[in-house]
Amino acid sequence: MAKIKAKGVSYAKWGYIFIAPFFIVFSIFTLYPVLMTFYYSFFERFMIGLNQHGPYYVGLDNYVAVLTGADGSFFSSNLWQYFLNTLIMWLLGFVPQIAASLLLAAWFTDLRLNLKMQGFFKTVIYLPNIIMAAAFSMLMFQLFDTIGPVNATLLRMDVVEEPVRFLSSTMGARGIIGLMNFIMWFGNTTILLMAAMMGIDPALFEAAEIDGASPRDIFWKITMPLINPILVYVMITSMIGGLQMFDIPQILTNTSGGPNNTTMTLIMHLNQHLFSRNFGMAGAFSALLFIGMSALSLLVFKTVANNAASGGPGH
Amino acid sequence: MNSKFWKRSLAFMAILFAALILVACGDSDDTPADDNGDDNGDEVIDAPETGDDEIVLNFAHWNDQVVQRFEEVVVLPDNVTINWIWAPNDDNVYQQELIRMLPAGELDLFVAEVDYIAQFTESDLVADVRDLGLTDADLSYMFQYTLDVATGPDGALRGVSWEANPGLFIYRRSIAYDVFGTDDPDVIQGYVQDWATFEASAAVLYEQGVRMVAGYADTYRTFSNNVTEPWVNEDNEIIIDPHMMSWVDQTYRFIDQGFAGVGVGLWSGEWSQGVNPGDTTPVFGYFHAPWGISFVMRDQSLDVQLADGGEEEVGNGTFGDWAAVPGPEGFFWGGTWIMAYSGSPHQELIADIMRQMTVDQDNLRTLSENFGDFVNNSAVVEDVANDPDFGSAFLGGQNHIALLADAVETIDMSHVGAFDQAITSAFQGAWGDYFEGIVTREEALDNFFETVTTFHPHLRRP
């Protein structure tokens, strides 16, 4: 009997044991909180001073409150304003970021250019990412203050007659936030795209050159299609990161999301709900955000990945 | 063997799982099944006790003010140490930390500010100082308003303060001399005695290239302390007092006409620069409580900071070029009350600290002399006010304590509410956009109510 039993031992259980820690940690620190977020979103529960109000079951009331505005209509909800703010500020950073990263990655991987001191440049362009966003925001806040160095320089060069109140204008505030996102993330994207470009078979480039293709043709017709999967990855991660934008505008605008809430991102608004630990509204807001982001990611993935599958010469 | 091991690993994992769940749920007081957090503190074990006699008191604060004063005057028994817990006051962080730590029994002592103190004076989690052992005799010299603020609806006194914070208008002597021909406070008060003359004087100063005040929020406290009803009524509706709308209208005119800087908020770079403007636009005056004079303006006025070897003397920036007058309306700004957790086992010690900080007249005299505080003791204040040798070097030798002693009698705290901090910052923020021409009046109102009701969901727009 014992022998038969020994024969029946499945080594698969070791596999389960080894992957168990991840699932345990995941279920406690991710799955459970996510489920509780959905659960709380059906309750009215917040603090009034030191006292807790609720929880009272309110069904979908919190969702209705998030999705309707002051006049009770769907489109007047602040959600759209905050979503638009977030999207605009993300694009302001992402568009120059992807352009600069593509250019830099192409230069760095170009065998003919054979740039010297690559390690130094890669380190330098990656450095802004290491700075804490909070510290970076404080720095920019000081730089662009009405009595800060940027205004002092502009005044001295007679570009402007009066100090520019950058953070009081929608364009100025959003522009600075976009600029910061660009500076912080283009190094990271460059490294990713370089990895993708270095994975391309050099024979393809050589063959194209022999056929008389210009560098521009090589970039657009060989490099771009072949790095498409990584581009999709960069786009989706950046979009999810962008929709979660919080620390930079929060600190730059001193939590106000000003002027006139035009730099108030979705997560900044979510954070406002946590002021009174309003888990009901925050939960409903998060749940909607979760659904929205999933749908958006899926959409981007489907469209861009399908193009890659059908249009890429490598497939 | 194998199956035994399998069982053991399963058991181990089950234990690990359970332990993690316990850890994860240990401090979750947020489950819907939870009661109202009605923790009377009886079963709280005093975690900070490290040895047999070693006592650690946890004391929360938001700036060095209380720490410096504490270390200056309080003498503790050898076995007692203070664990200072700091959180920033900005964006209500400190207030929220208190709300988190206090019910959890993580504090013995803390300080609270007037803008949110009502939340704590209403709570049983905060000890009645009379229960702690402070007597009516101990409290007899304190200014009445400091007691009113800290008294809960049940009549319990839940905080004491070493300072009182009536406000004054602090103006530049040299500008007053140039524009009005004198720097004598008695005469200058005539130019700022009410809001109409204040505005007329602002126009005169503007002709000379001087701003009356630095920015849009400078006059805020003088208006908000003279309202006729609190921000929140009994139905939890947010009421905007007509006097607050006069602040909006006046400030709009001030900024429109150049009497105040555009987009200059409190604590901003340009606001600070106005105290010692160099060749930028000078500012005539600031509204400040005593802490603002000693803690804020003094540093702002110096060309060479004390840390860089500068001296507090005339000629170093604008130090000594200032004087104080009561201004158009009496007001107060800030104030720090010492409060204690009712569940703390160290009640006698806490009472002793409170007495040393807020009752002991020698200590209070020391605070007055060393920090320029307007101390919360009418006997000490009277002494200093009548002392012909006393004068503030910053204010050109003026004895402003006498002015403050008059001003403190006018303070009316009856309209202070529990949620004033969030309301104040939302009100200033929303109308700040309006003053810069970014939003209309309606939009500013919408933004104000939107922010406040998001922060405090139980409040409503009427």
Side-chain angles (χ1 to χ4, degrees), chain A residues 14 17 28 39-40 45-46 48-50 52 55 78 146-147 165 168 254-255 259-260 272 275-278, chain B residues 5-6 20 30-32 36 91-92 96 119 123 262 269-270 273 433 436 438-439 447 450 455-458:
Chain A
W14 294 108
I17 289 173
I28 293 170
Y39 177 68
Y40 277 129
R45 180 218 172 279
F46 48 78
I48 302 177
L50 281 164
Q52 182 174 310
N78 287 323
T146 43
I147 59 168
R165 285 172 289 120
S168 294
N254 202 7
T255 75
N260 190 21
Q272 286 187 322
F275 182 85
S276 293
R277 318 224 302 172
N278 190 350
Chain B
F5 189 78
W6 182 220
L20 278 170
D30 321 316
T31 46
N36 271 353
D91 313 320
N92 310 298
Q96 286 175 286
Q119 290 178 33
S123 171
V262 193
E270 220 177 328
Q273 194 183 45
D433 280 348
E436 290 196 63
I438 298 164
V439 297
N447 288 344
E450 171 72 22
F455 278 155
H456 291 299
H458 70 286

Side-chain angles (χ1 to χ4, degrees), chain A residues 136-195:
Chain A
F136 195 29
S137 304
M138 288 304 290
L139 176 75
M140 296 299 261
F141 184 83
Q142 301 283 345
L143 281 177
F144 286 93
D145 192 41
T146 43
I147 59 168
V150 171
N151 265 312
T153 311
L154 290 177
L155 284 170
R156 186 155 300 181
M157 288 165 60
D158 286 329
V159 180
V160 292
E161 299 214 326
E162 278 184 10
V164 185
R165 285 172 289 120
F166 289 100
L167 290 168
S168 294
S169 80
T170 301
M171 267 186 24
R174 283 179 177 166
I176 291 172
I177 292 164
L179 178 72
M180 289 176 64
N181 275 318
F182 163 63
I183 292 175
M184 282 188 77
W185 290 102
F186 82 102
N188 186 60
T189 310
T190 305
I191 306 279
L192 279 172
L193 294 178
M194 273 177 65

Side-chain angles (χ1 to χ4, degrees), chain A residues 55-224:
Chain A
Y56 304 118
Y57 179 75
V58 292
L60 292 172
D61 281 7
N62 289 327
Y63 289 88
V64 173
V66 171
L67 287 171
T68 52
D71 62 3
S73 81
F74 179 59
F75 294 103
S76 66
S77 166
N78 287 323
L79 185 70
W80 305 117
Q81 161 86 48
Y82 302 146
F83 176 69
L84 208 66
N85 293 341
T86 314
L87 198 70
I88 289 172
M89 289 191 287
W90 170 62
L91 284 174
L92 280 176
F94 183 71
V95 172
Q97 174 194 326
I98 203 80
S101 299
L102 275 172
L103 196 66
L104 285 170
W107 282 346
F108 279 136
T109 53
D110 193 318
L111 292 172
R112 291 200 157 209
L113 274 176
N114 194 18
L115 286 178
K116 299 279 186 296
M117 293 170 69
Q118 281 212 14
F120 171 74
F121 288 120
K122 282 181 216 162
T123 312
V124 168
I125 60 173
Y126 198 82
L127 269 181
N129 201 278
I130 297 169
I131 306 172
M132 208 172 25
F136 195 29
S137 304
M138 288 304 290
L139 176 75
M140 296 299 261
F141 184 83
Q142 301 283 345
L143 281 177
F144 286 93
D145 192 41
T146 43
I147 59 168
V150 171
N151 265 312
T153 311
L154 290 177
L155 284 170
R156 186 155 300 181
M157 288 165 60
D158 286 329
V159 180
V160 292
E161 299 214 326
E162 278 184 10
V164 185
R165 285 172 289 120
F166 289 100
L167 290 168
S168 294
S169 80
T170 301
M171 267 186 24
R174 283 179 177 166
I176 291 172
I177 292 164
L179 178 72
M180 289 176 64
N181 275 318
F182 163 63
I183 292 175
M184 282 188 77
W185 290 102
F186 82 102
N188 186 60
T189 310
T190 305
I191 306 279
L192 279 172
L193 294 178
M194 273 177 65
M197 288 181 190
M198 286 191 293
I200 302 173
D201 186 353
L204 289 172
F205 293 123
E206 282 169 27
E209 274 180 40
I210 290 165
D211 287 344
S214 69
R216 178 174 303 215
D217 286 336
I218 293 177
F219 179 76
W220 286 110
K221 301 212 166 122
I222 296 179
T223 312
M224 282 300 274

Side-chain angles (χ1 to χ4, degrees), chain A residues 10-27:
Chain A
S10 161
Y11 288 96
K13 75 183 179 206
W14 294 108
Y16 290 126
I17 289 173
F18 287 138
I19 61 170
F22 166 76
F23 283 98
I24 293 168
V25 171
F26 173 81
S27 45

Side-chain angles (χ1 to χ4, degrees), chain A residues 48-51 275-276, chain B residues 59-63 65-66 85-102 107 109-123 126 148-153 158-159 162-163 221 225 231-232 332-339 413 415-425 455-456 458-459:
Chain A
I48 302 177
L50 281 164
N51 303 314
F275 182 85
S276 293
Chain B
F59 199 145
H61 65 111
W62 77 85
N63 67 16
Q65 205 190 9
V66 64
I85 300 170
W86 176 84
N89 201 29
D90 311 46
D91 313 320
N92 310 298
V93 172
Y94 177 73
Q95 183 194 153
Q96 286 175 286
E97 279 295 289
L98 289 184
I99 290 172
R100 185 186 64 77
M101 290 190 287
L102 195 63
L107 295 175
L109 282 156
F110 62 99
V111 284
E113 209 182 10
V114 66
D115 284 353
Y116 51 81
I117 195 173
Q119 290 178 33
F120 298 97
T121 55
E122 286 168 6
S123 171
V126 182
D148 292 345
V149 171
T151 301
R158 294 204 165 85
W162 71 89
E163 59 172 5
R221 297 274 168 179
N225 292 164
W231 276 113
V232 180
F332 64 93
W333 189 3
T336 309
W337 278 261
I338 304 174
M339 306 181 109
M413 302 299 271
H415 306 311
V416 167
F419 309 103
D420 287 3
Q421 190 173 42
I423 296 174
T424 295
S425 66
F455 278 155
H456 291 299
H458 70 286
L459 299 181

Side-chain angles (χ1 to χ4, degrees), chain A residues 235-276:
Chain A
M235 176 126 181
I236 290 181
T237 50
S238 170
M239 190 181 69
I240 292 174
L243 288 176
Q244 294 176 349
M245 194 188 304
F246 172 69
D247 40 10
I248 290 177
Q250 175 87 357
I251 291 162
L252 193 72
T253 65
N254 202 7
T255 75
S256 72
N260 190 21
N261 289 332
T262 50
T263 58
M264 175 76 70
T265 66
L266 291 165
I267 306 294
M268 281 169 76
H269 180 67
L270 177 64
N271 187 53
Q272 286 187 322
H273 283 307
L274 296 180
F275 182 85
S276 293

